[in-house]
């Protein structure tokens, strides 16, 4: 996964003639499912198959919300992964959500995805909200 993210950043850096060390990964959660994506995007890449733990993604408000009872790992819609300059990321009201390969967290950390939230980000930190690439139930 890290090599894929690096490739997205390198392609963007070369295309826009930006220095690679000034870029960061941006994760924009769309409202679409994988069957609704017609083709590739011009900037970045579409991914799907992520799960959220400790909360849920509300497609109506496009933000992190409280999870429903007995819904442990709700799936996220398609996510657009792209690179942007770090200056553009500052000042956004987002929760810096860690992304892990598996539920064991710790050594399986991949990257941090900025998820929109209406609640203070500290609420999701205390709830232990994270994104997972693979869930074993």
């Amino acid at each position: 996964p890290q090599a894929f993210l690096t490739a997205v950043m390198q392609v963007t850096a070369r295309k826009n003639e930006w220095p690679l060390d000034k870029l960061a990964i941006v994760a924009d959660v769309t409202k679409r499912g994988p069957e609704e994506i017609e083709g590739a995007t011009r900037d970045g890449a579409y991914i799907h198959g992520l799960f959220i733990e400790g909360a849920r993604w509300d497609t109506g408000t496009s933000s992190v919300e409280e999870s429903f009872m007995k819904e442990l790992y709700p799936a996220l819609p398609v996510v657009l992964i792209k690179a942007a300059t770090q200056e553009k990321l500052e000042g956004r009201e987002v929760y810096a959500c860690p992304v892990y390969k598996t539920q064991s967290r710790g050594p399986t950390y991949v990257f941090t995805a900025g998820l929109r939230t209406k609640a203070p980000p500290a609420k999701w930190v205390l709830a232990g909200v994270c994104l997972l690439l693979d869930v074993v139930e």
Side-chain angles (χ1 to χ4, degrees), residues 53-120:
E53 180 180 24
R56 68 179 171 87
W57 184 261
D58 186 355
T59 54
T61 62
S62 293
S63 65
V64 179
E65 299 290 339
E66 291 283 339
S67 59
F68 294 130
M69 295 297 289
K70 297 188 180 185
E71 192 174 11
L72 299 177
Y73 306 105
L76 250 62
V78 172
V79 178
L80 172 60
I81 299 290
K82 59 185 179 179
T85 57
Q86 293 173 354
E87 293 88 39
K88 289 183 181 178
L89 299 179
E90 294 172 3
R92 293 175 47 177
E93 189 61 34
V94 296
Y95 162 56
C97 184
V99 180
Y100 298 100
K101 292 178 188 174
T102 64
Q103 294 147 294
S104 60
R105 299 188 180 202
T108 66
Y109 174 80
V110 180
F111 75 106
T112 301
L115 300 180
R116 287 190 206 105
T117 176
K118 294 187 188 309

Side-chain angles (χ1 to χ4, degrees), residues 39-50:
T41 177
R42 290 186 308 168
D43 295 322
Y46 289 117
I47 63 169
H48 71 94
L50 290 175

